Amino acid sequence: MEHLLHGSCHCGAVQLRLPHLPSRATECNCSICRRLGALWGVFDWTTVGLSAEPRALEEYIWGEKTLRTMRCRVCGCATHWEPLRPQPDAWHGVNLRMFPPELLQHVQIRRFDGADSWTFIDD
Ligand SMILES: [Zn+2]
């Protein structure tokens, strides 16, 4: 399954490598996630491999300014989010849409109500 754990943005300027399959993925309906259409897997960032061509990444910061969503400047794909002020064991979100679709066959997808109740809504 190793090949499933390597992903990239559409043009390939941003490369991502996961340490393992996430136990689940989150589909969030908040104002930014629903527009991005992202499917987030959450990881300890020290375990995720990220390589990007110089200046390929640009950030988007909004709202309470606790995190920034990162996208490829070339092709526009949202690749991950990260805390603005990382703590030692901070979590980061990786957009699993950047990975082979077969990856998602092995991952439970959960719907998260980030727009309102801040809870999962698929129970
Ligand atoms: Zn790209």
Coordinates of all heavy atoms in Angstrom, one line a residue, residues 9-14 72 74-76, ligand 1:
C9 N 0.0 17.8 -5.5 CA -0.9 18.7 -6.1 C -1.0 18.3 -7.6 O -0.3 17.5 -8.1 CB -0.5 20.2 -6.0 SG 1.0 20.6 -6.8
H10 N -1.9 19.0 -8.4 CA -2.1 18.6 -9.7 C -0.9 18.7 -10.6 O -0.6 17.9 -11.5 CB -3.3 19.4 -10.3 CG -3.8 18.9 -11.7 ND1 -3.4 19.4 -12.9 CD2 -4.5 17.8 -12.0 CE1 -3.9 18.8 -13.9 NE2 -4.6 17.7 -13.4
C11 N -0.2 19.8 -10.4 CA 1.0 20.1 -11.3 C 2.3 19.4 -10.8 O 3.3 19.3 -11.5 CB 1.2 21.6 -11.4 SG 1.9 22.4 -10.0
G12 N 2.2 18.9 -9.5 CA 3.4 18.2 -9.0 C 4.4 19.1 -8.3 O 5.4 18.6 -7.8
A13 N 4.1 20.4 -8.2 CA 5.1 21.3 -7.5 C 5.2 21.0 -6.0 O 6.1 21.3 -5.4 CB 4.8 22.7 -7.8
V14 N 4.1 20.5 -5.5 CA 4.0 20.1 -4.0 C 3.8 18.6 -3.9 O 2.9 18.1 -4.4 CB 2.8 20.9 -3.3 CG1 2.8 20.6 -1.8 CG2 3.0 22.4 -3.6
C72 N -1.1 25.3 -3.7 CA 0.0 25.4 -4.7 C -0.3 26.7 -5.5 O -1.4 26.9 -6.0 CB 0.0 24.2 -5.6 SG 1.1 24.4 -7.0
V74 N 0.9 27.3 -8.3 CA 0.9 27.1 -9.7 C -0.5 26.5 -10.2 O -1.1 27.1 -11.1 CB 2.0 26.0 -10.1 CG1 2.0 25.8 -11.6 CG2 3.4 26.5 -9.6
C75 N -0.9 25.5 -9.5 CA -2.2 24.8 -10.0 C -3.4 25.1 -9.1 O -4.5 24.8 -9.4 CB -2.0 23.3 -10.2 SG -1.7 22.4 -8.6
G76 N -3.2 25.7 -7.9 CA -4.3 26.1 -7.1 C -4.8 25.1 -6.1 O -5.7 25.4 -5.3
Ligands
ZN1 ZN 0.5 22.5 -8.1

